[in-house]
Amino acid sequence: MRNKMMLGLMLLAAAATTQAAAQTTIKINGYAGQDPAIVGDLINRFVKPALAKDKINVTYEPLQGDYNQQLTTLLAAGNAGDVFYLPAETLDGFVATGKILPLNGVVATGPYINSLNAAFTRGGKTYAIAKDFNTLAVEYNKAVFDEAKVAYPDNTDTWSSLQTKLTNVKKALGNDYYGICLAPDYARMGQFAFAAGWKPFDSKGKTNLLDPAFVRAFNYFTGLAKNKVGVQPSEISQSWSGGCLGTGKVAVAIEGNWIVGFLKDNAPNLKYGTALIPKDDKTGKRGNFVYTVGWAINSGTKNKAAAVKVLNILTSPQVQQYVLEQGLAIPSRTSLQSNAFLKKTDAGAANSKAVFDGATDGTVRPYYFGVQGPDWIKPINTALAAVLSGQKSSADALKQAQSEMNTFQSR
């Protein structure tokens, strides 16, 4: 009897061991902050139920501090997750490691917005699927325009018509008000250069800041500061354009969907609207950035099939619908452009619609630093700050910026 009991226990132990061995765990790396709660909710709500029958468990391990640096270290050591966030702006550095699995023939890219696919594609190979995105739009304070008796910005605006509206607001309301907040940042100016026809990198990977298209856009943006129509955030004790808009003293800020939550929390009584980025009078086109992070797969994963299943669920229509309706992000699937949420008339939904539309209207490029990384934007931002503060002329600032860019890109 005792022998039979021992045999039974051994069989149970062996079965438990076999069951444990059959369990596959997929580790996801992503941002810290609010993301563990958001992704954890998606995993529990969608991923785990869908994969329970396949005995696939999923865990989320956020990377603290500098995400790009942490991911680089983990990939080099062979300890990165099976699936992870891949920022579009630093894509090339990670592709160069050979640690990112090309998704061609593995995951269907057709359902996603073309400009987002392009942000993660190099040499015909797609390395990530955008999990969500943002673009820029014109955010405006309705009360300021109403008080000035000036028409709101709208989707028919050109560079010149928007500038006229901003100038008229300033003339009507005087020294205590401003037409637009001008952050000295490529991330808020570059879209105008795209509309003018400028490309950040030529065929050799070099940047020309003296290209007439870039110069014209640079001069338009910095020219909005003339006669104090435009103001820098620091001039009114703010750190970004959204903060400027929230003061109630600035008519326009150029921002993305992230401003919705900020205004809800910090300026709940502010009535605002959203319009698309104005068109260049000369080219008749808009320009815009797509700011995006993708889901990528570790080329060294030992569980490729399971990792693909996880990625497909995280980018599925059901997950993206949920993310959109929760106000968490703008989905990357083209099919959601006609979603009922985006047809609502409240300010937040209208903003989401404009941001979604911005990804397919005009010349849209990813927010991207090139192969040498984030320091690429420093010469541009320095030039913007110098001109907006009145320290240098546009010509002198751009001449210096080009010199600094040449030095940087020759390293």
Side-chain angles (χ1 to χ4, degrees):
M1 181 70 178
R2 182 180 178 185
N3 289 340
K4 289 182 178 179
M5 289 179 63
M6 290 296 294
L7 178 61
L9 290 171
M10 291 173 64
L11 290 172
L12 286 172
T17 300
T18 301
Q19 184 176 10
Q23 182 81 21
T24 298
T25 296
I26 295 298
K27 181 173 71 175
I28 298 175
N29 289 140
Y31 297 154
Q34 296 179 330
D35 285 57
I38 294 171
V39 180
D41 180 44
L42 296 179
I43 289 172
N44 291 328
R45 190 179 295 270
F46 296 99
V47 181
K48 285 186 176 180
L51 297 180
K53 66 181 184 302
D54 297 321
K55 296 183 179 180
I56 298 173
N57 185 43
V58 180
T59 62
Y60 184 79
E61 296 186 11
L63 304 186
Q64 305 292 335
D66 186 323
Y67 179 81
N68 290 311
Q69 183 178 17
Q70 293 294 324
L71 182 59
T72 298
T73 300
L74 290 175
L75 285 170
N79 295 325
D82 304 277
V83 177
F84 43 76
Y85 286 10
L86 187 62
E89 63 265 27
T90 52
L91 173 68
D92 284 331
F94 288 111
V95 169
T97 68
K99 303 290 186 179
I100 313 298
L101 180 73
L103 299 180
N104 304 65
V106 177
V107 176
T109 60
Y112 305 96
I113 296 171
N114 287 336
S115 62
L116 299 179
N117 287 334
F120 294 108
T121 300
R122 297 292 184 273
K125 295 181 179 180
T126 300
Y127 291 92
I129 298 296
K131 68 184 190 71
D132 49 48
F133 74 97
N134 250 291
T135 65
L136 296 175
V138 175
E139 318 294 347
Y140 59 91
N141 183 332
K142 291 183 176 181
V144 172
F145 280 93
D146 289 343
E147 186 175 352
K149 295 181 171 56
V150 174
Y152 296 152
D154 60 45
N155 293 347
T156 68
D157 273 327
T158 63
W159 292 5
S160 60
S161 68
L162 178 63
Q163 185 169 17
T164 297
K165 291 177 180 179
L166 301 178
T167 301
N168 288 341
V169 166
K170 181 66 176 178
K171 286 180 178 178
L173 301 183
N175 293 334
D176 292 336
Y177 288 84
Y178 301 92
I180 186 170
C181 192
L182 300 169
D185 191 345
Y186 169 71
R188 296 296 177 273
M189 170 265 155
Q191 73 278 3
F192 294 114
F194 302 158
W198 178 72
K199 295 181 179 180
F201 303 94
D202 65 18
S203 60
K204 296 181 180 179
K206 301 300 182 182
T207 299
N208 182 9
L209 301 180
L210 300 179
D211 181 322
F214 185 87
V215 173
R216 187 162 60 83
F218 184 95
N219 288 341
Y220 171 73
F221 183 82
T222 56
L224 293 173
K226 186 178 180 181
N227 297 322
K228 286 294 180 179
V229 171
V231 64
Q232 294 186 76
S234 60
E235 294 180 84
I236 54 173
S237 302
Q238 298 297 319
S239 60
W240 68 301
S241 300
C244 293
L245 195 70
T247 66
K249 299 294 185 179
V250 178
V252 162
I254 296 174
E255 290 294 339
N257 187 245
W258 50 75
I259 201 172
V260 173
F262 172 82
L263 292 176
K264 181 180 179 181
D265 293 339
N266 295 278
N269 296 320
L270 190 147
K271 305 300 182 184
Y272 68 96
T274 304
L276 296 175
I277 295 294
K279 293 180 178 180
D280 178 2
D281 297 80
K282 184 176 180 179
T283 66
K285 293 183 177 180
R286 304 185 208 280
N288 218 322
F289 286 104
V290 283
Y291 306 89
T292 183
V293 173
W295 289 112
I297 295 176
N298 189 335
S299 64
T301 180
K302 297 179 181 178
N303 300 297
K304 177 181 172 181
V308 170
K309 288 183 178 181
V310 170
L311 186 151
N312 279 329
I313 295 171
L314 288 170
T315 56
S316 67
Q318 294 82 2
V319 168
Q320 293 211 346
Q321 172 87 17
Y322 178 76
V323 167
L324 174 64
E325 293 180 350
Q326 294 299 307
L328 298 174
I330 305 299
S332 57
R333 285 180 170 263
T334 55
S335 60
L336 289 175
Q337 191 167 17
S338 58
N339 186 269
F341 176 83
L342 297 177
K343 296 179 181 179
K344 294 181 179 180
T345 57
D346 64 276
N351 176 280
S352 296
K353 178 67 164 62
V355 168
F356 199 112
D357 290 346
T360 57
D361 192 332
T363 303
V364 183
R365 299 187 184 280
Y367 183 60
Y368 165 63
F369 306 134
V371 297
Q372 291 177 281
D375 286 348
W376 176 82
I377 64 173
K378 286 184 177 180
I380 302 173
N381 289 356
T382 299
L384 287 168
V387 177
L388 288 172
S389 62
Q391 296 176 7
K392 288 187 176 181
S393 68
S394 174
D396 288 344
L398 286 176
K399 182 178 179 181
Q400 180 177 334
Q402 186 63 63
S403 176
E404 293 173 356
M405 184 65 75
N406 292 343
T407 300
F408 172 73
Q409 293 189 322
S410 65
R411 292 176 186 171

